Amino acid sequence: AQSVTQPDIHITVSEGASLELRCNYSYGATPYLFWYVQSPGQGLQLLLKYFSGDTLVQGIKGFEAEFKRSQSSFNLRKPSVHWSDAAEYFCAVGAQAGTALIFGKGTTLSVSS
Amino acid sequence: DGGITQSPKYLFRKEGQNVTLSCEQNLNHDAMYWYRQDPGQGLRLIYYSQIVNDFQKGDIAEGYSVSREKKESFPLTVTSAQKNPTAFYLCASRKTGAQNQPQHFGDGTRLSIL
């Protein structure tokens, strides 16, 4: 069965420091992978997606993610974090077309000054 | 602009009462979804619908009901059988036909018990 694991429940990063949020997936075929961000009391916004081609994908707000098939990972990175990046981040994998994405439980990012 | 509209933003339920959460999309998406979000639990799928007049139970469908009479609309009813309805509810839609399509989300409805 497909699943997504985000090992870190909560991460605190200093403003201006680099960020890496981890995501591991379990899926038998070629995965379709997504990262979303959620601000408090809001819906989820798509940051980026991977489905084929270059394993390093660029997204909005300066985020990028790297797909590593050998490690079943799709980690999200940002070279320099801003205070406005504080939010909850969700990794998701796409199953059959039309069915729901499978989400991890999320990682809460706090940014310290 | 196209998007998903959820209403109301806040909703209060009395004991023994059914309440209905609205979700409307103008993205021309075939598939629509309802999730429940509780702190530390991530998103849990309640129901989803891939076409009009058809829907499927998700992981936590008990105490909930849905209808899909129009492509644009997918209302969720929280029935009195749902004993712990306090949560944040998110509606999403997705273009079908390709696995690489992301889900688009509304801004959610927060349901509380009076």
Side-chain angles (χ1 to χ4, degrees), chain A residues 10 29 32 42 46 53 58 65-66 79-80 88 91-92 97 103 110 112:
Chain A
H10 188 203
Y32 297 84
Q42 301 292 315
L46 180 69
Q58 302 297 320
E66 186 171 14
S80 177
E88 190 159 19
C91 181
F103 286 86
S110 297
S112 62

Side-chain angles (χ1 to χ4, degrees), chain A residues 7-101:
Chain A
D8 304 305
I9 296 173
H10 188 203
I11 285 181
T12 299
V13 175
S14 298
E15 190 169 16
S18 63
L19 169 71
E20 183 169 31
L21 301 181
R22 295 183 291 165
C23 173
N24 295 99
Y25 66 89
S26 172
Y27 187 65
T30 301
Y32 297 84
L33 297 159
F34 308 85
W35 274 102
Y36 287 85
V37 61
Q38 184 183 34
S39 297
Q42 301 292 315
L44 276 67
Q45 180 184 22
L46 180 69
L47 284 175
L48 48 77
K49 65 179 182 180
Y50 169 82
F51 54 93
S52 68
D54 193 347
T55 56
L56 184 64
V57 293
Q58 302 297 320
I60 62 171
K61 305 186 180 192
F63 286 92
E64 65 180 25
E66 186 171 14
F67 169 62
K68 292 186 178 180
R69 185 185 299 274
S70 62
Q71 298 178 20
S72 297
S73 70
F74 188 56
N75 293 349
L76 183 71
R77 302 194 294 242
K78 187 170 185 178
S80 177
V81 168
H82 187 262
W83 64 266
S84 61
D85 293 324
E88 190 159 19
Y89 292 79
F90 292 92
C91 181
V93 62
Q96 299 173 11
T99 60
L101 299 185

Side-chain angles (χ1 to χ4, degrees), chain B residues 14-76:
Chain B
K14 295 180 182 178
E15 293 289 340
Q17 185 182 45
N18 294 353
V19 292
T20 298
L21 284 61
S22 171
C23 177
E24 302 278 332
Q25 55 99 359
N26 60 2
L27 298 167
N28 199 32
H29 288 170
D30 289 303
M32 297 187 74
Y33 311 86
W34 274 106
Y35 292 91
R36 171 179 171 142
Q37 188 176 21
D38 298 278
Q41 302 255 9
L43 277 70
R44 292 185 290 170
L45 183 65
I46 305 173
Y47 270 98
Y48 68 98
S49 168
Q50 297 189 56
I51 57 172
V52 173
N53 293 322
D54 186 53
F55 47 83
Q56 309 295 328
K57 292 183 178 180
D59 301 320
I60 56 164
E62 186 174 351
Y64 300 96
S65 66
V66 293
S67 63
R68 188 83 188 277
E69 297 177 0
K70 299 187 301 182
K71 186 176 184 177
E72 303 79 19
S73 178
F74 191 41
L76 173 74

